Amino acid sequence: MTYKQALVKAAAYCAYQERTQHQVREKAAEWELEPDEIEELVVEMITQKFIDEERYARSYVRGKYAARRWGRRLLQQGLREQKLSEYCIRAGMSEIDPDKYWENLLGLAEKKARSVAAEPNPLKKKAKILAYLASKGYESDLARDATEEVLK
């Protein structure tokens, strides 16, 4: 594939949804571009505003948080996997409203408490709720507080 063809494909790839430099580099490598062409392509995509990693981080956090109710730890891990800078990660995490975060955490804890209501052992019930909240990426101290509030 020529550089010009790759430029058109990369523009379409980035226009479809938000992308990171890392994702575009991987895709360009699949197109078997030379390393210097890949870097030139990435610079061109940034210049034309097809790639904006801060915008990507904000969009990622809004999407995963709203749709999947992920906690901060899981969101940060996902952003780090995309090789984003700490600045972009902080910018993305600023999209989370602390009050809504707590409400979501309580909601998830209540939902899990209902699903384990048949568990006779209160310690096992608490452990199951905490494990669920940890798997969703919530911080252990907040998960513990939410679990205690739900189990009162």
Side-chain angles (χ1 to χ4, degrees), residues 3-4 15 19 27 37-38 44 49 59 69-70 73-74 97 101 106 111 120 125 138-139:
Y3 175 76
K4 289 196 182 229
R19 306 288 182 182
K27 187 58 80 173
E37 289 178 322
I38 292 173
E44 186 63 28
K49 303 282 188 219
S59 173
R69 305 277 190 254
W70 283 4
R73 286 188 3 237
L74 202 54
D97 174 21
Y101 189 77
L106 278 177
K111 179 181 171 186
K125 184 185 292 189
Y138 287 90
E139 300 88 331

Side-chain angles (χ1 to χ4, degrees), residues 29-44:
E30 290 175 16
W31 298 332
E32 299 178 356
L33 292 178
E34 296 297 320
D36 59 328
E37 289 178 322
I38 292 173
E39 292 308 310
E40 190 177 333
L41 178 74
V42 169
V43 168
E44 186 63 28

Side-chain angles (χ1 to χ4, degrees), residues 4 9-10 32 43 55 64 77 92 94 109 122 139-140 148:
K4 289 196 182 229
K9 272 187 108 165
E32 299 178 356
V43 168
R55 188 176 65 206
K64 301 294 186 194
Q77 179 183 348
S94 72
E139 300 88 331
S140 58
E148 288 174 6

Side-chain angles (χ1 to χ4, degrees), residues 17-33:
Q17 74 181 42
E18 292 291 340
R19 306 288 182 182
T20 65
Q21 293 178 33
H22 177 68
Q23 291 170 325
V24 173
R25 281 188 181 95
E26 285 183 338
K27 187 58 80 173
E30 290 175 16
W31 298 332
E32 299 178 356
L33 292 178

Side-chain angles (χ1 to χ4, degrees), residues 65-143:
Y65 180 64
R68 297 184 181 171
R69 305 277 190 254
W70 283 4
R72 287 187 186 105
R73 286 188 3 237
L74 202 54
L75 291 167
Q76 288 174 338
Q77 179 183 348
L79 292 171
R80 283 191 181 99
E81 287 174 1
Q82 294 302 322
K83 304 197 182 340
L84 295 178
S85 69
E86 284 302 313
Y87 171 81
C88 290
I89 292 171
R90 280 193 305 278
M93 297 308 290
S94 72
E95 292 292 310
I96 297 174
D97 174 21
D99 295 331
K100 182 109 169 102
Y101 189 77
W102 178 249
E103 288 174 25
N104 283 339
L105 177 56
L106 278 177
L108 289 170
E110 288 170 358
K111 179 181 171 186
K112 188 63 178 178
R114 284 191 301 273
S115 75
V116 297
E119 175 62 58
N121 185 335
L123 290 177
K124 283 186 178 179
K125 184 185 292 189
K126 185 176 182 177
K128 286 180 180 182
I129 296 169
L130 287 171
Y132 173 71
L133 295 175
S135 75
K136 295 291 270 181
Y138 287 90
E139 300 88 331
S140 58
D141 57 335
L142 290 176

